[in-house]
Amino acid sequence: MTGEHASTRTIESYARGGTDLVADEVWAVEAHLEVCRVCRDRLSAAVGAGVPAVAALVDTVWSGLEPRLAVTATMPRGRHRSARLSRWLTPTMVPWSAMVVGVVLLALLLDLAGTGSGEVSLVLLFAPVLPVLGVAACWSRGLDPAYELTASVPRAGLHLVLRRTASVLGVVVPALLVGGWVTGVMVAQWLLPCLALTAATLALGGAVGVTRAAVVLTAVWAAAVVAPTLATSRTVFALQTDALPVWGLVLTLAIGVVTARRGAYSVLVAHR
C-alpha cells in the first residue's frame, strides 16, 4: 500500500489471483477495496488488460445477474444489522455465553451458601477458564454452521478472532465482576489469570487451532488447579496474590506470540 491507495504492483498481482502476495497483503487489499472506488476502478482496468479471461467471465456472470438484481428487493435493515453482528459472534455463542454466565451464578450461589471449597471462592477457582470456553465456542467447526465460509476468506484472520474474543470477554467479565464483588475477591486476583489464559489460548491456537488450545488449557487448569484445590480446600499458588507477577508475564508473552505470529490466523488449519 502506498499513501491512500494500493500500489500498481499490488493491484496487478491481486488481479492475477494474488498468489505472490502474503495473506496480510491480500487482507489489506480487500479491506481497502471495500472503501476505495478509485482502486476498484484500477482493479477493474487491471483485470481487463492483464487477465482478459477473467474479465470475460465476470461480464458473462454480470449479464445474467443484472436483470435479476434489478427486480430483487434490497436487504431489510434488520438483516444489515445481523450481518454486522456476525463479525462479532456466531449464533451458537449466545447459548454458550448464557451457560458461562450460569456457571458464574451457580459458583456465586455456592459461595454464598457456604458449600464452596473451604477458603477458596468457587468464583475465583473457575473464573480464569470461563472465557477460554467461550473463545473455543466462538471459533469451532462443529458449532458454527458458516465456519468453512468464514474461515476461508483472507479477512477471517486475527482481526476476526480478536473481535469474537472481545465479544466473549464483554459478556463474561461483567458477570465475574459482580461475582467477585459479592464474594470479596480482589479483581486482579481473577482478572489477570483470566486474560492470561485467554491470550495463551490464542497464542497456542495459532499452532494447533483455537478450539484445541482451549481444550488443552482447560484440562491443564482442571488437573493442576481445580483438582488440588477441591482435594485440599486450600488456595494453590496459581490463585494467590504472589502469583500475579507470573500471570502478568504469561499475559505479556502470549500477546507477544500472537503479535509475532499474526499471519498464522489467516490459514484455515489454524482455526480447527
Side-chain angles (χ1 to χ4, degrees), residues 204-227:
L204 183 59
V208 302
V210 175
T211 303
R212 291 174 183 171
V215 172
V216 169
L217 290 179
T218 301
V220 170
W221 182 264
V225 178
V226 176

Side-chain angles (χ1 to χ4, degrees), residues 184-264:
V185 177
M186 186 172 64
V187 173
Q189 200 171 354
W190 61 263
L191 182 58
L192 198 55
C194 174
L195 296 178
L197 286 180
T198 300
T201 301
L202 298 181
L204 183 59
V208 302
V210 175
T211 303
R212 291 174 183 171
V215 172
V216 169
L217 290 179
T218 301
V220 170
W221 182 264
V225 178
V226 176
T229 299
L230 295 179
T232 63
S233 297
R234 294 182 180 179
T235 305
V236 298
F237 175 75
L239 298 176
Q240 297 176 6
T241 55
D242 292 342
L244 293 181
V246 177
W247 286 118
L249 178 61
V250 172
L251 176 60
T252 302
L253 291 176
I255 293 175
V257 171
V258 170
T259 303
R261 302 192 70 250
R262 57 187 178 275

Side-chain angles (χ1 to χ4, degrees), residues 105-157:
L105 294 177
L106 179 59
L108 177 59
L109 290 176
L110 291 176
D111 279 344
L112 295 178
T115 57
S117 179
E119 66 181 45
V120 183
S121 166
L122 291 179
V123 173
L124 174 61
L125 186 61
F126 292 108
V129 291
L130 290 180
V132 172
L133 299 177
V135 171
C138 77
W139 200 265
S140 170
R141 179 185 299 276
L143 296 176
D144 185 1
Y147 173 86
E148 295 287 352
L149 178 63
T150 304
S152 61
V153 298
R155 294 196 67 184

Side-chain angles (χ1 to χ4, degrees), residues 48-72:
V51 197
V54 174
L57 177 61
V58 171
D59 290 339
T60 301
V61 173
W62 179 249
S63 64
L65 285 177
E66 189 173 18
R68 299 183 184 183
L69 294 175
V71 297
T72 301

